[in-house]
């Protein structure tokens, strides 16, 4: 089980024969087994077996276990950034509407694949440089999207919080954390949870009531 110290996400997207469940199946299997056993407790063989492949066949898709983790985390943050930017582009200019839009996006994204979210949170420390630094920079970009909305809303008097950046960080942590407790068997749907968190976020921002 080699761990490439300079593995770049997707660097092994090479023209090789597709085998078994394909790259998507390998990533799904890796998320499942790494969530159960942790990154360091998981071997390439564990991932391959879960995906229904031989270890050798897995290397058709990825060079190492480290590249598997890097790919999972890179694709996740890129998709989250894309959706959050799209939500901002589609929202009205009002800061309260913009905050509600990105909170809904953030919550629903983290409830789509709860195991993937928890893996991304717990195994950030397992990413090796330079991938870890690049990934952290993208997480900061996501946080800055929230920061911008909170700061602008405070400047305009739409939000009353005296600590907009602290409120922004608290909102992001709160919205990310839904993956750790939500159950589809519970009383609330994913959409209902997102709506409740929109209200909580607006309250944390000190949104002025009409």
């Amino acid at each position: 089980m080699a761990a490439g110290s300079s593995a770049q996400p997707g660097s092994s997207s090479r023209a090789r024969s597709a085998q078994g469940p394909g790259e998507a199946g390998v990533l799904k299997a890796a998320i499942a087994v790494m969530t159960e056993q942790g990154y360091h407790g998981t071997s390439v063989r564990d991932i391959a077996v879960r995906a229904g492949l031989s270890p050798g066949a897995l290397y058709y898709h990825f060079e190492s276990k480290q590249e598997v983790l890097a790919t999972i985390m890179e694709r996740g943050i890129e998709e989250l950034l894309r959706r959050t930017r799209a939500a901002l582009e589609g929202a009205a200019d009002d800061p309260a509407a913009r905050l509600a839009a990105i909170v809904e996006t953030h919550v629903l994204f983290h409830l789509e694949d709860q195991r993937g979210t928890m893996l991304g949170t717990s195994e950030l420390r397992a990413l090796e440089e330079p991938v870890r630094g690049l990934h952290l920079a993208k997480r900061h970009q996501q946080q800055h999207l929230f920061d911008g909305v909170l700061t602008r809303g405070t400047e305009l008097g739409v939000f009353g919080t005296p600590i907009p950046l602290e409120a922004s960080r608290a909102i992001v942590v709160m919205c990310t954390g839904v993956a750790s407790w939500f159950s589809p068997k519970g009383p609330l749907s994913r959409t209902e949870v997102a709506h409740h968190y929109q209200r909580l976020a607006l309250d944390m921002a000190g949104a002025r009531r009409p």
Side-chain angles (χ1 to χ4, degrees):
M1 164 190 43
S5 60
S6 60
Q8 294 289 339
S11 64
S12 65
S13 297
R14 26 189 142 22
R16 297 196 237 181
S17 301
Q19 303 214 356
E23 185 179 278
V26 171
L27 294 175
K28 182 177 180 180
I31 289 171
V33 71
M34 286 182 186
T35 301
E36 295 166 7
Q37 301 175 190
Y39 174 80
H40 292 294
T42 298
S43 66
V44 167
R45 178 175 292 278
D46 292 332
I47 298 171
V49 169
R50 185 66 63 94
L53 297 170
S54 68
L58 187 145
Y59 287 114
Y60 276 101
H61 304 287
F62 299 98
E63 293 179 346
S64 65
K65 183 179 73 168
Q66 177 67 199
E67 190 184 25
V68 173
L69 178 66
T71 301
I72 291 167
M73 296 183 74
E74 173 69 6
R75 291 185 181 180
I77 191 60
E78 283 287 351
E79 180 62 12
L80 179 58
L81 281 167
R82 186 193 69 76
R83 293 189 193 184
T84 304
R85 289 167 177 152
L88 286 172
E89 290 175 4
D93 289 337
D94 173 54
R98 292 170 71 79
L99 179 58
I102 60 177
V103 164
E104 180 178 39
T105 295
H106 201 91
V107 169
L108 292 178
F109 176 85
H110 286 90
L111 290 180
E112 270 186 24
D113 180 6
Q114 290 172 253
R115 291 189 299 183
T117 290
M118 291 187 285
L119 178 68
T121 300
S122 65
E123 297 299 349
L124 174 63
R125 59 184 181 238
L127 278 182
E128 299 173 1
E129 296 294 354
V131 174
R132 185 174 187 274
L134 295 170
H135 181 78
L136 280 172
K138 291 180 180 180
R139 289 196 180 198
H140 292 323
Q141 290 176 34
Q142 175 70 5
Q143 180 64 62
H144 290 161
L145 293 175
F146 278 79
D147 292 348
V149 172
L150 267 292
T151 300
R152 182 62 175 158
T154 302
E155 291 171 350
L156 293 175
V158 176
F159 300 146
T161 177
I163 47 173
L165 294 181
E166 287 83 352
S168 177
R169 285 192 291 272
I171 289 167
V172 169
V173 171
M174 174 183 74
C175 293
T176 302
V178 295
S180 67
W181 63 262
F182 177 80
S183 170
K185 297 179 181 179
L188 298 176
S189 69
R190 290 174 172 83
T191 300
E192 288 171 329
V193 170
H195 290 168
H196 285 191
Y197 273 56
Q198 286 175 316
R199 181 70 268 170
L200 288 170
L202 289 168
D203 286 345
M204 291 171 71
R208 308 294 189 188
R209 301 296 178 91

